[in-house]
Amino acid sequence: MYYMSTRNSELKLKSAEAIKKGLSEDGGLFVPTEIPSLSKAEITKMIRMSYIDRAKLILKKFLTDFTAAEISDCVEGAYGTGFDCEKVAPVVKLSDGKYILELWHGPTCAFKDMALQILPRFMTCAMKKTDEDKKIVILVATSGDTGKAALEGFKDVEGTEIIVFYPGDGVSDIQKLQMITQEGANVYVAGIDGNFDDAQNGVKAIFTDEKFGEKLAKSGFALSSANSINWGRLVPQIVYYISAYCDLLADNEINIGEKINVCVPTGNFGNILAAYYAKKMGLPIAKLICASNRNNVLTDFIKTGEYDKNRPFYQSVSPSMDILISSNLERLLFDICGEDDKKVTSMMGKLAKDGKYKLTKALHKKIESRFWGAYCDDYYTKVQIWKTFTQTGYTLDTHTAVAVDVYEQYVAETGDKTKTVIASTASPYKFNESVLSALGENVDGKSDFELIDMLAEKSKTTPPASLAELKNKEKRFEKVIDKSMMPELVCETLNVKKCSSKS
Ligand SMILES: *Cc1c(COP(=O)(O)O)cnc(C)c1O
């Protein structure tokens, strides 16, 4: 199987090349030239398999240039020991017909681990397969969750270095602690005196500075990125939807062939797109329900067919969904346009220039028949956390609560009672302050560690060991630098002399 670009469908790369590159040179995203199918017999066979074996079977269909042994090593390395739950991504029944797919049992307690535990392994494998002689340097600007998940994923991975920049005062205490106590010989973390945009712009400037890139290349380094446009991050996410379906079969909650709905708290559109690909493979999925917070650009897009990012940006209690440009939507557009790269290039051009584009009626109809979208603001997010806890004893994090609320809106509006899997993207412990206040607790003046203990008592659950252990970890990276010093810091970290483009 080959991979093409959403802006050039003639391109033909093997998956190793697509994963190593991350983004196509024409600015497009890599997509497979065909979607492999999943038969009823294969689904039946997977019912009795472990998550790891299911992952091997599914990933092999997409990464055809990887050997079975290579895929096996990647999968076992990623999901073998780093998750605190044997099922890796367990399904919990909330009430009749309503199931929570817990995607946060990895080392950083957010769903990004599902992809970032395996992407670095794909990358080193891809580098060997393509005879890459340079060391890959991963640069990340993070608003919190991605940086830590990338650090955990890349720590001590052969042939890679990772440098993470976070906004000095823009992340929560727990998120900061998670990053500055990071272990590993190939990791580096620095705060910058600015906000997330400054960090992001700084990283982008380094990526696009050709001279800087050449100097790094002379010293044997190549820059790459770990953000969610890389196919190697998207493909592992397809696995858990299929796995969830198999678990529902194993638990006799559904019959083989029975259709389910999937509801996903959405930001960059990666997670829900993985469910869309699972459906295309043949997994019996009826509706894909796209849940947004107050940054509801996707809700409007699904309802009207117009994507318009010209609107205020809100900071919400579900910060990982505070996004106005959902990059992975480009892959969906490419698919529904019948792989028309010219049309996609034109729409993306309009988005870059005017901040908006509009689908034709026919294309909008296609989106509407597959997706349903709605949003939930902070107030109702907190109400949902309280309501679910009171009715079922289950504690939702703020992102998952958005999805549960949107699912309830969906049922109220459509009357559709199809059994539904709701993706749960973070442990409630990661957003403990908002969760506890939603549950009516007084959080004023409490330290993060006191909040962890409070939530454990209130929810009668055990806090993830990785968060509780932070208290005793050595702080390794306390540097906060001026944002203009970011290129210097990259050189210093890599031991490359005088590589600033100014010198
Ligand atoms: C990244 C993230 C999301 C959004 O996922 P996308 O794939 O970007 O749509 C939702 N919830 C949490 C907790 C996240 O970290």
Side-chain angles (χ1 to χ4, degrees), residues 110-112 145-146 228 233 237 264-272 320-321 323 328 397 399 425-426 431:
F111 102 101
K112 299 204 165 49
D145 284 346
T146 305
S228 74
R233 249 186 90 169
Q237 300 186 343
V264 185
T266 297
N268 216 11
F269 209 76
N271 201 359
I272 195 167
S320 302
M321 296 157 68
I323 283 180
N328 269 299
D397 94 288
H399 304 75
T425 49
F431 299 93

Side-chain angles (χ1 to χ4, degrees), residues 30 92 149 230 258 347 356 360:
F30 292 117
V92 175
N230 193 313
E258 183 174 341
M347 283 192 278
K356 58 181 179 179
T360 61

